Amino acid sequence: MAETRDLEMERYITSTREAPPSHYSLTLEPFSLFLDSKNEKFESDVFDGAGKKWRLSFYPNRQSGDGGHKYISLGLEIIDEDPFRRGWKVNFHCKMFVLDQKAVNYTVFEEKSSKPRTFYGIIRECIFDQLMTVEDLMDKTKGYIVKDKCVFGVEITVLGDAMRGESLILNKVPESKIFTWTILSLEDAGKENFSDEFEINGHKWKLFMYPEGDQKARKGYLSLFLCLANTNSIPLGRKVYVEYKLRIKHRLGTKHYEKEGHDSVSKEVTKVGFSDFIQLGEIYEESNGYLFNKSMTIQGEIKVLLSYNYLE
């Protein structure tokens, strides 16, 4: 069925069609958890389209300028161009898709301007900002969200390339683990200290401590990180999203010191945590109860949020 123009939104020209996007499809479930997430965006795997490599991003909560409606946005990033290669430039058109699962067709979004988008230098991502309001997306008369699942897609420049895709599954009950690491003597610890490896969700991890702080730490602070130990467990460009708590245990188990965060690790960025985790003076303060005969116990509590299903 050919595309038919049926509505002009304020920002975009929209149409409907039955044919799926040619280059990539991204399924998010449970979609309500993505909307409630603290993450600014979620990124797909790297995919091929129109002779280039790309990544599709989902932005769950983009506020309007007047603080009114909440919007979702989609972004397209080019991956395989070197930003330091002099004179590189890529001109392209793209369309964004949202599947109406009841009508079994797609709402297609195009920019009103006929001018192509251009990537060059350090400009590597374009965002279809405020693509839809969350209210419109959840409209019961439409089928954009069915069984808490929402499907997006993208086409770039030339139609007809073979489509790949994936499902990002945000786990309702994420796999979690607490790992305990005892430092026998903080005074005798080296400048860098790794814990033993532990495994969760098919990946191996370590805790990583700088007793005198890393290069970014303020003077007098201990640095503590969660580190991905086996980068071969994830493909290039893939990210593992985690929520984590890093803590120093009170020797009587009552008043622990901890900080929590949510972030992602990859081949390129293997550790997350805190350069300024705690002042050394607080650790050595006897009334705080963090040391016992010079030893200190550290814990990492980790939840892995996403699992992946690839579409053939």
Side-chain angles (χ1 to χ4, degrees), residues 31 35 60-62 69-72 132-139 145:
F31 189 67
L35 290 180
N61 287 298
R62 305 275 284 195
H69 295 293
K70 285 187 176 181
Y71 292 81
I72 60 100
M132 293 182 70
T133 66
V134 173
E135 182 181 19
D136 288 342
L137 196 64
M138 301 180 72
D139 185 352
I145 302 173

Side-chain angles (χ1 to χ4, degrees), residues 20 30 50 118 129 163 213 268 297 304:
T118 302
D129 202 18
M163 187 189 77
E268 298 82 6
T297 300
V304 178

Side-chain angles (χ1 to χ4, degrees), residues 94-291:
C94 69
K95 301 175 182 178
M96 296 295 183
F97 293 68
V98 184
L99 174 63
D100 186 331
Q101 298 168 69
K102 292 181 180 178
V104 197
N105 61 29
Y106 291 83
T107 299
V108 186
F109 296 82
E110 300 178 71
E111 294 177 308
K112 286 187 174 182
S113 173
S114 60
K115 290 180 61 177
R117 285 272 194 166
T118 302
F119 287 147
Y120 62 92
I122 62 172
I123 300 175
R124 306 175 66 82
E125 184 182 28
C126 70
I127 299 177
F128 275 55
D129 202 18
Q130 299 185 5
L131 192 74
M132 293 182 70
T133 66
V134 173
E135 182 181 19
D136 288 342
L137 196 64
M138 301 180 72
D139 185 352
K140 298 295 185 182
T141 65
K142 299 287 187 178
Y144 295 125
I145 302 173
V146 174
K147 295 182 179 179
D148 213 10
K149 178 172 72 175
C150 195
V151 182
F152 301 96
V154 64
E155 278 182 358
I156 309 153
T157 307
V158 179
L159 303 179
D161 292 349
M163 187 189 77
R164 293 180 61 229
E166 65 183 306
S167 293
L168 301 186
I169 303 171
L170 194 58
N171 300 313
K172 291 183 178 179
V173 183
E175 183 177 351
S176 62
K177 190 166 190 174
I178 296 176
F179 177 78
T180 301
W181 177 30
T182 299
I183 309 296
L184 296 179
S185 175
L186 183 61
E187 291 180 351
D188 298 328
K191 291 185 178 181
E192 300 179 353
N193 296 264
F194 282 102
S195 73
D196 293 335
E197 291 183 0
F198 57 97
E199 186 170 331
I200 178 173
N201 201 243
H203 306 291
K204 292 183 179 179
W205 309 82
K206 289 183 178 182
L207 298 179
F208 192 7
M209 180 190 69
Y210 297 84
E212 298 178 0
D214 66 358
Q215 293 179 346
K216 296 181 180 180
R218 287 179 288 172
K219 186 176 180 179
Y221 275 80
L222 176 145
S223 301
L224 186 60
F225 299 94
L226 171 67
C227 181
L228 183 67
N230 62 330
T231 57
N232 290 333
S233 66
I234 57 175
L236 183 65
R238 167 57 68 210
K239 293 185 177 182
V240 178
Y241 295 89
V242 293
E243 289 181 354
Y244 58 94
K245 294 180 181 179
L246 301 178
R247 69 173 61 95
I248 296 176
K249 293 196 69 179
H250 188 280
R251 66 171 179 254
L252 299 178
T254 55
K255 296 181 180 180
H256 309 311
Y257 180 91
E258 71 177 30
K259 288 185 177 180
E260 61 181 281
H262 55 90
D263 217 318
S264 61
V265 294
S266 64
K267 283 184 180 292
E268 298 82 6
V269 181
T270 59
K271 66 179 183 180
V272 293
F274 308 96
S275 292
D276 295 342
F277 182 71
I278 187 174
Q279 286 184 305
L280 285 171
E282 292 188 47
I283 296 176
Y284 287 110
E285 173 57 50
E286 185 176 353
S287 63
N288 286 337
Y290 299 138
L291 292 179

